[in-house]
Amino acid sequence: MNICFTLNDRQREIACQPGDNVQQLLFKLGMHSVRNSDDGFGFAGSDAIVFNGVVVNASLLIAAQLEGAVVTTAEALGSWNQLSLVQQAMVDVGVVQSGYNDPAAALILTDLLTRITTPTRDEIDDALSGLFSRDAGYQQFYQVVALAVARRNDPDFQAPSAPEFRTDLNVVGKLCPKVDAAKMVQAKPCYVEDRVAHDACIIKILRSPHPHALITHLDVSAAEALPGVVHVITHLNCPDIYYTPGGQSAPEPSPLDRRMFGRKLRHVGDRVAAVVAESEEIALAALDLIKVEYQVLPAVMSIDEAMAPGAPLVHDEPIVYVNGAPADLAEQNQHSAQRGDEHLIINFPIGAKPHSNIAAAVHGQIGNVTQGFAQADVVLERTYESRQVQQCPTEKHVCYTYMDGDRLVIHASTQVPWHLRRQVARIVGLKQHKVHVIKERVGGGFGSKQDILLEEVCAWATCVTGRAVYFQYTREEEFISNTSRHVAKVKIKVGATKEGRLTAIDMNFLANTGPYGNHALTVPSNGPALSLPLYPCENVNFQVTTYYSNICPTGAYQGYGAPKGTFALTMILAELAEKLGRDPLEIIELNRVVEGQELKILGAIGEGKMPTSVPTAASCALEPILRKGKELIHWSSPKAKNGDWQVGRGVAIMMQKSGIPDIDQANCMIKLESDGTFIVHSGGADIGTGLDTVVGKLTAEVLRCPFADVHVISGDTDHALFDKGAYASSGTCFSGNAAKSAAENLRKKILFHGAQMLGEPEADVELVVPGVVRGKRGEVTFAQIAHKAETGTGFGTLVATASYISADFAFPYGANFVEVAVNVRTGEIRLDKFYALLDCGTPVNPELALGQIYGASMRAIGHSMTEEIVYDRHGSPITRDLQSYGAPKIGDIPLDFQAFLVPSDDQVGPYGAKSISEISVNGAAPAIAMAIHDACGVWLREWHFTAEKVLQGLNKLSA
């Protein structure tokens, strides 16, 4: 049928089927603002349109409803080179991070301001109630509305959205729009899905319905015979290469324990077969034609089940070591299952014992814990547990591949383009120079896009068919096949004097890595590594053991082990404070790290490689942070009581790293263009955090040129130099320092040639704003230098490179102060106040830094209060969509939600900058749990926290 309707003030007529999905139709018409984030479930709001004057989800409409309708999308806001009032406010406030559903947000808020001149907070909440914003944390949207309202009355109105820092610098620490924010908020093509050719093939995966099973019969012949099916991939015809999905350093500190497709299936959602077809409809039909028979095996779902004597083995295949094989390897392999040539590879010793369900293990100590406990006046021993939570990026995992001659091109939403190229090249059998990875804008990752989860299948499909191939997860696949946060069970024992001074700590960190061991060593190791140094103690022992199980996969997630270690250590100190009759904040102050302190325990913990020296807390602003937080929340003031509602307060300090010394590396190249501007080729991967803006600012700062004269190209393996990628909070420190060093190298060349052109000694010239070499007798512009360089008698294009590595640590620090109200009759928990105070050294992008704090804090609040992947008694996940999972929205944010940047002077990061986003997920859970106890006397030692658990603690509900 032909449908006639008005789209963005233009009459349109399209041929379609009556039941076609409107979101898909509009996207095909070029309306890239109408995105698919939740497969038509109507929760995420990325597909928002104005339909006959009302904001609706396009994916909930069918084509027949368009007849005669008036439709407006975000493309109608502003013009191609001019942002609308709301769009400009969003950019200026710094709310645009990954940007995936920000066009929808702009459309919704524009509609709100059309209906209501000055909206209240409740009216803003109502308007945005249908939008899921995983990265921005919602709070800054109130600023956006206020700014847009003010500018509607006064177009020249300006109000700083964040404080500025470092008066001695020109652009670093100053407010500046994120370089890609305008493009994203206007829905210009910049994501993987925007690059897909109309004739690209589609991949759909048949996945295991069982948590643990063997394929005993597999027949894909009927699927292969279906017209439109191009290829079917199974364990019988995929590459016989073992690898880990983790995109980390090489050789990987994780077991190489998976094949693209295997005969043994280890979780619900594990790969059985992939259909490559001409359309999604054909691919889905082909999946129904595949015949599979399974031998269902007993599953292990928990740490306790995995470590039990005689437990079913998740990995029972033979073990192969590349280096450092243990003396008893033959004995370990004696009873291995023989399934053809199936095996598991370990690159170097990581404490793995797969035939005991152990994926990795490590231990270490300083001092003498036995002696430390003997010196203690009080000893406490507790166990704290976490549940499985998911990253939930608004952009689902996606990949697009095609051949360019004999080269494989991969458009990827990835945090690790270089590791992706290395892994895929090895798996599909190509040299790395024959693989070109283009990192598109990333619509949220939070660690999950550090793993290679679908790119190798997409690449192999292109390699064997020669066809362009598109592969995008469904939201259900995000839950059952994406990586998630490791589950932890932390047993901790502390000893202290009667004053509360710690004398000994023993931390036994048990982790559940699920079916595969990507990050099985490094994530759990960071549990103690990013918590124990917060409270330096002379006598510390730690053990880390990571177990295989049949839960859905785990991997990298922002915080990377720190939230669980911080929860356990903070909570036991709070319990210690109660036992001693002390204020928990006093116990924190008595034992916390201070600036300049040696962090001895970090000399005993590594990420597959030990530190070359014992680090120190070179910069640490915890003293002003705790002072300010205590004042903000009125820590010692009386607490109000309202009927059944009782109020409590809590606090947690936290830390993170800014990259991994002696392991991470970043490289950068900068060249001077003909008119005196600069192009920076950065290997760094901007995943919405503003890294490209950081790199551009650092370049402009060193070269004393306008920020607008710097253009950054990043994350492209053909057009930049190697960078380890966006993980471990390394972007600003490593990628930023590489850019700063490259700019300094180019600065020397510019000064040298500028001095020659001026006929003055190099010692007499300097760079001055706006891009001039000035001597005592004259000056020459960058443009004049560039012109001279490129003439027939010139000295050639000026270009400089730099590589950055470091053995030094830069630790950001912070604290969360919270106030909750607990209803002692119903168990309900209300989070009233949440103050996040962070020391990131010098904030390079202050407004973006605040946005990252809000977003990360809100993710942490979600993990603490509402989120959990839940399984039925058969080991099958029942939370397979965003709503049932418990992802928070704007109505779930604290009533009083504030973020603060507290500067410090760090000597490692560029201009004193440290990381900011990842640390912000580490402190919410213990701060909230402490506040709950303060309110009602219940210790919740397992998170997340629910009304049922409160009532059980109050003995008002049986477990």
Side-chain angles (χ1 to χ4, degrees):
M1 64 182 294
N2 289 336
I3 298 286
C4 296
F5 68 107
T6 302
L7 176 61
N8 296 337
D9 296 326
R10 291 180 57 195
Q11 291 296 313
R12 299 297 295 263
E13 182 176 351
I14 57 172
C16 59
Q17 296 298 316
D20 284 351
N21 185 279
V22 169
Q23 182 274 324
Q24 295 175 7
L25 283 176
L26 291 175
F27 194 86
K28 289 176 182 176
L29 288 174
M31 302 298 106
H32 287 185
S33 68
V34 189
R35 300 195 179 276
N36 172 16
S37 191
D38 63 357
D39 304 317
F41 200 88
F43 181 86
S46 303
D47 57 341
I49 61 173
V50 178
F51 178 75
N52 291 333
V54 179
V55 175
V56 300
N57 298 104
S59 58
L60 299 180
L61 302 176
I62 59 172
Q65 293 174 275
L66 287 178
E67 179 63 34
V70 177
V71 174
T72 303
T73 73
E75 279 79 4
L77 305 178
S79 59
W80 78 270
N81 65 344
Q82 182 68 46
L83 296 178
S84 73
L85 185 72
V86 169
Q87 288 172 330
Q88 188 65 58
M90 290 176 67
V91 171
D92 291 345
V93 166
V95 76
V96 181
Q97 293 183 41
S98 75
Y100 193 75
N101 59 2
D102 283 323
L107 183 69
I108 293 168
L109 291 178
T110 299
D111 173 75
L112 172 66
L113 292 174
T114 301
R115 295 183 289 107
I116 303 172
T117 304
T118 308
T120 64
R121 174 172 176 143
D122 286 344
E123 289 165 336
I124 296 169
D125 288 353
D126 179 67
L128 291 174
S129 61
L131 186 79
F132 176 55
S133 178
R134 191 60 159 175
D135 50 4
Y138 305 105
Q139 180 64 34
Q140 288 175 307
F141 283 121
Y142 302 120
Q143 282 182 271
V144 169
V145 172
L147 183 58
V149 168
R151 286 179 175 169
R152 185 169 55 190
N153 299 325
D154 176 7
D156 297 323
F157 178 82
Q158 297 293 331
S161 57
E164 294 190 328
F165 299 85
R166 293 290 298 269
T167 56
D168 58 316
L169 301 177
N170 293 317
V171 292
V172 169
K174 309 302 183 291
L175 302 183
C176 176
K178 186 164 169 278
V179 293
D180 53 0
K183 177 168 63 176
M184 290 193 292
V185 79
Q186 286 190 300
K188 299 291 179 63
C190 59
Y191 298 99
V192 172
E193 63 203 55
D194 301 330
R195 311 302 187 190
V196 181
H198 72 278
D199 60 347
C201 293
I202 301 295
I203 288 182
K204 287 294 177 181
I205 298 276
L206 181 66
R207 299 188 180 277
S208 172
H210 308 291
H212 203 189
L214 284 171
I215 296 173
T216 57
H217 176 73
L218 180 60
D219 182 358
V220 300
S221 58
E224 290 175 324
L226 184 69
V229 170
V230 177
H231 189 58
V232 179
I233 310 170
T234 71
H235 71 275
L236 299 172
N237 63 355
C238 74
D240 192 23
I241 300 292
Y242 288 86
Y243 59 97
T244 174
Q248 292 178 272
S249 56
E252 296 94 338
S254 301
L256 310 186
D257 55 9
R258 81 166 300 157
R259 203 168 171 261
M260 187 181 293
F261 289 82
R263 187 183 161 207
K264 189 177 189 187
L265 307 171
R266 296 180 170 89
H267 68 95
V268 170
D270 211 349
R271 300 169 181 168
V272 174
V275 171
V276 187
E278 299 280 358
S279 71
E280 181 178 0
E281 293 76 15
I282 295 171
L284 291 172
L287 293 184
D288 291 336
L289 298 176
I290 297 174
K291 298 177 181 178
V292 193
E293 294 177 7
Y294 303 98
Q295 176 189 345
V296 179
L297 303 172
V300 291
M301 301 299 292
S302 68
I303 292 170
D304 290 342
E305 290 176 3
M307 65 192 299
L313 297 182
V314 179
H315 286 274
D316 55 359
E317 62 270 30
I319 306 162
V320 175
Y321 273 78
V322 177
N323 295 290
D328 67 342
L329 182 60
E331 182 180 345
Q332 289 187 42
N333 283 330
Q334 187 175 357
H335 301 293
S336 298
Q338 302 299 316
R339 291 184 293 270
D341 190 38
E342 186 178 338
H343 58 279
L344 178 152
I345 301 171
I346 298 173
N347 281 321
F348 53 87
I350 56 173
K353 294 182 179 178
H355 297 163
S356 297
N357 280 332
I358 296 176
V362 66
H363 62 86
Q365 65 176 36
I366 58 171
N368 186 320
V369 291
T370 301
Q371 182 177 322
F373 284 119
Q375 295 169 347
D377 296 312
V378 59
V379 175
L380 279 185
E381 193 165 1
R382 297 286 187 268
T383 298
Y384 302 95
E385 298 185 56
S386 68
R387 296 297 184 93
Q388 190 175 11
V389 293
Q390 227 272 334
Q391 296 90 338
C392 299
T394 48
E395 178 204 40
K396 299 172 294 183
H397 282 68
V398 61
C399 185
Y400 173 52
T401 56
Y402 56 89
M403 299 303 298
D404 180 10
D406 63 347
R407 300 187 77 220
L408 172 68
V409 181
I410 304 174
H411 290 263
S413 178
T414 180
Q415 300 173 220
V416 286
W418 303 92
H419 291 315
L420 172 59
R421 184 182 71 165
R422 173 178 59 83
Q423 293 268 40
V424 169
R426 175 174 170 267
I427 293 167
V428 304
L430 291 174
K431 297 286 189 180
Q432 289 189 21
H433 74 299
K434 294 294 186 181
V435 179
H436 178 195
V437 174
I438 302 169
K439 182 207 72 67
E440 302 289 0
R441 295 292 102 178
V442 177
F446 318 117
S448 70
K449 291 174 182 174
Q450 184 185 337
D451 288 340
I452 287 79
L453 300 177
L454 73 174
E455 293 91 347
E456 82 280 32
V457 178
C458 201
W460 179 246
T462 286
C463 287
V464 296
T465 66
R467 299 286 299 273
V469 177
Y470 178 54
F471 187 5
Q472 184 184 47
Y473 274 5
T474 63
R475 183 55 67 177
E476 179 181 15
E477 286 177 308
E478 288 289 311
F479 280 101
I480 66 174
S481 302
N482 180 19
T483 54
S484 58
R485 194 184 289 291
H486 286 70
V487 180
K489 183 175 186 177
V490 185
K491 300 179 179 181
I492 186 167
K493 179 180 178 182
V494 298
T497 66
K498 59 180 180 294
E499 293 80 22
R501 176 78 66 181
L502 290 171
T503 61
I505 305 174
D506 190 331
M507 179 181 284
N508 185 10
F509 195 104
L510 308 176
N512 184 344
T513 192
Y516 301 107
N518 43 307
H519 310 273
L521 174 71
T522 51
V523 164
S525 292
N526 273 289
L530 293 174
S531 60
L532 293 173
L534 281 168
Y535 302 99
C537 178
E538 292 299 316
N539 306 298
V540 181
N541 184 71
F542 70 88
Q543 308 86 37
V544 173
T545 311
T546 307
Y547 289 92
Y548 284 118
S549 75
N550 298 114
I551 65 173
C552 291
T554 69
Y557 192 171
Q558 204 172 46
Y560 208 76
K564 281 94 69 176
T566 303
F567 180 72
L569 191 50
T570 306
M571 288 296 287
I572 201 167
L573 289 182
E575 296 200 45
L576 174 68
E578 182 185 50
K579 191 172 184 69
L580 294 173
R582 299 284 300 276
D583 184 323
L585 186 53
E586 292 177 2
I587 296 296
I588 289 173
E589 283 280 26
L590 183 64
N591 291 284
R592 71 168 175 84
V593 62
V594 297
E595 188 164 281
Q597 191 164 7
E598 189 176 51
L599 306 178
K600 295 179 182 178
I601 188 62
L602 282 179
I605 311 176
E607 295 198 34
K609 181 180 180 181
M610 289 304 216
T612 54
S613 59
V614 175
T616 61
S619 63
C620 174
L622 278 176
E623 190 275 327
I625 281 173
L626 291 173
R627 184 176 65 249
K628 183 178 180 69
K630 186 177 180 180
E631 294 171 356
L632 285 167
I633 208 158
H634 305 293
W635 180 261
S636 302
S637 67
K639 304 177 183 75
K641 185 177 180 180
N642 182 15
D644 292 323
W645 288 97
Q646 298 181 181
V647 173
R649 298 181 186 122
V651 60
I653 62 171
M654 50 198 174
M655 67 179 294
Q656 198 70 38
K657 290 182 285 193
S658 300
I660 313 173
D662 294 323
I663 292 180
D664 286 348
Q665 183 186 118
N667 294 270
C668 186
M669 177 178 70
I670 306 176
K671 57 179 179 174
L672 177 64
E673 299 302 316
S674 302
D675 61 351
T677 57
F678 298 91
I679 294 182
V680 182
H681 297 260
S682 169
D686 191 331
I687 57 173
T689 57
L691 180 58
D692 286 353
T693 309
V694 168
V695 165
K697 278 188 167 183
L698 293 171
T699 300
E701 193 68 57
V702 171
L703 294 173
R704 311 287 287 175
C705 70
F707 177 66
D709 285 359
V710 179
H711 176 67
V712 178
I713 298 172
S714 67
D716 187 309
T717 59
D718 269 16
H719 301 293
L721 307 180
F722 171 79
D723 189 293
K724 80 286 153 271
Y727 63 88
S729 294
S730 58
T732 295
C733 192
F734 278 77
S735 304
N737 261 328
K740 180 173 180 284
S741 296
E744 288 167 346
N745 291 340
L746 185 55
R747 180 177 182 274
K748 293 175 184 176
K749 294 184 179 183
I750 291 172
L751 285 171
F752 173 80
H753 291 289
Q756 286 200 328
M757 291 173 65
L758 290 169
E760 298 189 44
E762 193 175 347
D764 289 348
V765 300
E766 61 177 343
L767 291 192
V768 296
V769 178
V772 171
V773 176
R774 180 173 296 161
K776 292 184 177 180
R777 299 192 301 272
E779 63 182 35
V780 58
T781 66
F782 289 175
Q784 291 169 322
I785 295 172
H787 178 74
K788 174 66 174 177
E790 295 173 357
T791 63
T793 58
F795 36 84
T797 298
L798 295 187
V799 60
T801 63
S803 175
Y804 182 78
I805 59 173
S806 178
D808 298 322
F809 287 79
F811 298 110
Y813 290 95
N816 288 161
F817 284 82
V818 306
E819 183 172 287
V820 306
V822 177
N823 189 307
V824 294
R825 181 175 60 86
T826 65
E828 183 183 352
I829 306 163
R830 192 182 69 222
L831 184 55
D832 289 341
K833 298 179 181 179
F834 191 99
Y835 302 143
L837 300 94
L838 275 298
D839 155 29
C840 60
T842 298
V844 179
N845 301 320
E847 71 276 39
L848 300 179
L850 288 174
Q852 289 168 51
I853 296 172
Y854 284 122
S857 297
M858 201 60 221
R859 288 189 292 280
I861 290 169
H863 303 158
S864 304
M865 306 286 284
T866 58
E867 299 182 35
E868 181 187 0
I869 298 176
V870 179
Y871 296 84
D872 65 17
R873 62 187 181 88
H874 303 293
S876 181
I878 60 177
T879 43
R880 301 189 183 203
D881 62 79
L882 291 167
Q883 184 172 5
S884 65
Y885 166 71
K889 301 180 83 170
I890 194 167
D892 301 305
I893 73 172
L895 184 62
D896 185 359
F897 192 15
Q898 298 183 56
F900 300 90
L901 299 168
V902 182
S904 65
D905 185 16
D906 192 81
Q907 300 304 307
V908 178
Y911 295 106
K914 299 188 284 190
S915 65
I916 183 61
S917 180
E918 187 170 18
I919 183 179
S920 301
V921 304
N922 294 346
I928 293 170
M930 189 190 301
I932 291 170
H933 174 266
D934 188 42
C936 67
V938 175
W939 288 115
L940 296 183
R941 301 186 180 100
E942 178 188 88
W943 50 311
H944 65 302
F945 314 127
T946 64
E948 290 81 0
K949 292 175 183 176
V950 170
L951 292 177
Q952 288 166 8
L954 292 171
N955 296 316
K956 294 183 178 181
L957 185 70
S958 58

